[in-house]
Amino acid sequence: MPRKLTHQTKSLLLVAFLLLIWWFTPVFFKRWTNIAFHEFQAPAWTGLSYLRDLRSYWVLRSYRKSELIEAGVEMSRLNAAYMLRNQQADFLDREIERLEAFYEMPSYEQFHYEVARVVRRDLTAWWQQLVIRKGVNYGIKTGQAVVFSGGVVGRVSSVGAYTSTVELISSPHFRAAAHIEGDERPVEFRGGDNPGLLPATGHVSTVPADIIATLKEPVRLTSSRLGGVFPDGLTLGWIYSLDPSPDGLFQTGKVMLDPRLKHVREVAVLIPFEPRPGAEEQ
Amino acid sequence: MSDNGRISILFLLNLLLYFLAGELNFYLAHWAVHLHLDALLIVFFGLYVSRTSSLLYTALLGGLAGAMNPLAGGTYIIGYVCLWMYFVWCQRRIRRQNSIHVRAATAVGQLLWMLVLVLFDGTYQWGSTAYWGRFLTELLLSTVVIYLLAWPWCRFQKKFLYTLGWDLEALPPPH
């Protein structure tokens, strides 16, 4: 007479059966399931972020009038400074356009900024990503650059209907072309070292041998448009020391990233302006 | 209410815990640490209500957690289901009435799951001391928090089931 199966054996067989089904499930169905699970929970994460905003609102409401007036005065000073800088920027833009037309050069890619609140932060030892509160509904696409006041945040790794996932520059999977400030030669940046309780760092390689970085005079690592994602000149991080690579031709070093990356609350996605239909023919 | 209905309510409770853990991690990111509470989501399903519906809910939780992470599709579903199996295996090897046993089994489950993540994350940072430092920080934090929370969380769910008319203590352990 065959032995009766124990409860645990039955459970094991059930698990094995489920895993077998999953193994033979077509990839497109697995992909669809992943998207469905993401979209299913996205409203809940968005709702939580709205609750956070509401709490911040009530915290701000508790400020005294005198504190708000002080903040208002400070803001108006900042506004005045930025208005002056805008005028300067307008002048420089016109100058760039004039020179581009004069030398018949291709123009720089133009972007508009789509500001989005951060809904979720996943900064683990294995991946570093943010979920933001805008998706396909705002024209965001995979691969677009994401920035904040401190420089580059990362790039959009996946887009949902109402949310997007941003891979941070501190993520071990992140790679980008970069420049040392004031130097046109490209270098390679990759994210990676994220020690717990400390600011994140990245790595830079293929740095020309004549570049010098010291603790007293660190060099700024900026983004490069060579990768086709970021515009030129946005801060990636700071390099405090460089070591020669084994071949002696290049140097490698550690890049200190902005510590505000860990608690950024609002970011801007750089969405390239689509060329007008027929603009090239003209 | 049917048993499956009661298990569905437990699933909703665990779903709430899942979102709370995400919210907590939002703030913990300030200190560059992440709290992994995966074993806590599954322990009750595996250790006390090992029915087919609880396995399906475990797979659902795995699907939800996996969709928010960049790992290959299905890693979390498979991992959570295996973790459920580990807790079923624990049923006859620990005393489920003993808080230390339940706490230790859950912490070990979390440890195993994080070791699986080390193997399957695909970043190949095994040579970096910073990576292992970060991993050990998260492992220590997560297992300590899970050790502290596992028993109260299971007891709360047991009492909750009791109020719904299902006395788990009165049932003999499954054979």
Side-chain angles (χ1 to χ4, degrees):
Chain A
M1 193 178 160
R3 279 176 62 192
K4 236 180 137 183
L5 291 175
T6 61
H7 170 72
Q8 289 185 346
T9 315
K10 280 182 202 163
S11 302
L12 182 66
L13 286 175
L14 189 62
V15 167
F17 179 65
L18 265 182
L19 293 182
L20 210 64
I21 290 177
W22 184 255
W23 185 267
F24 286 107
T25 306
V27 175
F28 75 87
F29 183 77
K30 287 180 186 169
R31 177 87 187 119
W32 178 83
T33 321
N34 204 40
I35 293 169
F37 275 124
H38 190 280
E39 294 299 343
F40 171 76
Q41 59 187 312
W45 292 117
T46 307
L48 278 172
S49 80
Y50 276 116
L51 278 179
R52 226 177 285 136
D53 288 350
L54 188 68
R55 204 193 53 200
S56 306
Y57 169 77
W58 283 106
V59 168
L60 289 173
R61 289 269 299 193
S62 67
Y63 280 122
R64 286 198 308 271
K65 264 187 186 170
S66 58
E67 284 174 316
L68 292 175
I69 290 166
E70 211 171 295
V73 170
E74 212 164 294
M75 284 293 287
S76 64
R77 279 179 197 149
L78 268 177
N79 272 341
Y82 284 132
M83 276 166 77
L84 270 176
R85 197 170 284 187
N86 271 346
Q87 286 171 22
Q88 245 177 340
D90 285 344
F91 167 73
L92 290 173
D93 282 345
R94 278 198 301 275
E95 189 62 16
I96 289 168
E97 274 173 27
R98 191 182 68 79
L99 288 171
E100 278 173 356
F102 187 76
Y103 290 108
E104 293 177 353
M105 288 163 67
S107 60
Y108 284 111
E109 199 171 9
Q110 301 286 316
F111 300 94
H112 79 266
Y113 293 80
E114 196 58 65
V115 177
R117 301 286 284 180
V118 174
V119 166
R120 189 184 142 104
R121 294 187 195 124
D122 265 332
L123 310 186
T124 72
W126 303 290
W127 55 82
Q128 305 255 309
Q129 60 180 29
L130 304 175
V131 178
I132 56 172
R133 214 159 57 187
K134 282 179 182 172
V136 173
N137 55 339
Y138 281 86
I140 294 171
K141 289 179 186 160
T142 307
Q144 285 171 344
V146 183
V147 299
F148 78 126
S149 58
V152 177
V153 171
R155 71 163 80 87
V156 177
S157 60
S158 67
V159 187
Y162 303 102
T163 55
S164 306
T165 307
V166 179
E167 185 186 27
L168 290 181
I169 54 170
S170 54
S171 177
H173 301 276
F174 189 90
R175 301 278 187 283
H179 290 298
I180 304 290
E181 190 180 23
D183 192 275
E184 285 300 306
R185 291 167 290 184
V187 297
E188 186 196 339
F189 169 81
R190 58 187 172 87
D193 283 350
N194 304 297
L197 311 170
L198 293 169
T201 56
H203 291 283
V204 65
S205 53
T206 65
V207 179
D210 57 330
I211 303 279
I212 298 166
T214 60
L215 273 177
K216 278 186 180 173
E217 286 179 28
V219 292
R220 191 165 73 102
L221 188 70
T222 61
S223 60
S224 162
R225 68 195 162 100
L226 291 175
V229 176
F230 301 100
D232 273 330
L234 299 173
T235 305
L236 282 164
W238 292 85
I239 307 168
Y240 289 89
S241 69
L242 287 164
D243 303 312
S245 57
D247 57 14
L249 294 172
F250 297 107
Q251 300 182 93
T252 57
K254 191 186 264 190
V255 184
M256 301 304 293
L257 304 180
D258 196 316
R260 287 175 296 171
L261 266 180
K262 290 183 298 183
H263 46 87
V264 61
R265 297 183 81 98
E266 204 165 66
V267 296
V269 184
L270 299 186
I271 300 177
F273 280 120
E274 298 285 340
R276 279 178 294 132
E280 281 180 15
E281 291 160 19
Q282 289 168 13
Chain B
M1 187 187 276
S2 67
D3 285 356
N4 284 342
R6 293 183 184 110
I7 295 173
S8 303
I9 294 175
L10 284 189
F11 169 70
L12 291 178
L13 270 180
N14 281 289
L15 200 60
L16 190 67
L17 177 71
Y18 165 74
F19 284 111
L20 282 177
E23 190 64 4
L24 189 63
N25 279 322
F26 183 88
Y27 294 104
L28 282 177
H30 284 249
W31 295 279
V33 284
H34 191 92
L35 196 57
H36 301 265
L37 297 179
D38 309 271
L40 202 61
L41 298 172
I42 304 162
V43 60
F44 195 77
F45 283 146
L47 215 49
Y48 296 93
V49 275
S50 51
R51 306 248 178 133
T52 312
S53 53
S54 79
L55 174 62
L56 291 177
Y57 282 134
T58 302
L60 270 180
L61 282 170
L64 286 171
M68 300 308 285
N69 294 316
L71 286 182
T75 309
Y76 263 76
I77 295 181
I78 295 168
Y80 274 31
V81 165
C82 291
L83 211 51
W84 179 87
M85 192 57 229
Y86 158 76
F87 286 120
V88 172
W89 177 82
C90 281
Q91 278 181 7
R92 291 173 65 79
R93 281 154 187 88
I94 65 166
R95 286 186 61 231
R96 291 180 297 172
Q97 296 83 0
N98 188 321
S99 66
I100 306 287
H101 286 200
V102 173
R103 286 173 199 269
T106 319
V108 169
Q110 185 60 44
L111 171 80
L112 292 173
W113 172 236
M114 288 179 77
L115 288 175
V116 168
L117 286 180
V118 167
L119 289 175
F120 289 96
D121 76 308
T123 53
Y124 306 110
Q125 305 175 84
W126 299 346
S128 161
T129 47
Y131 168 69
W132 288 109
R134 174 71 181 258
F135 171 71
L136 288 175
T137 310
E138 287 183 7
L139 181 72
L140 197 68
L141 179 75
S142 303
T143 45
V144 166
V145 170
I146 278 184
Y147 187 85
L148 294 173
L149 290 182
W151 179 247
W153 181 237
C154 287
R155 205 174 48 182
F156 167 71
Q157 288 181 90
K158 250 194 294 185
K159 283 187 177 169
F160 189 73
L161 273 188
Y162 185 76
T163 58
L164 294 175
W166 187 0
D167 188 3
L168 282 175
E169 302 288 346
L171 295 173
H175 293 288

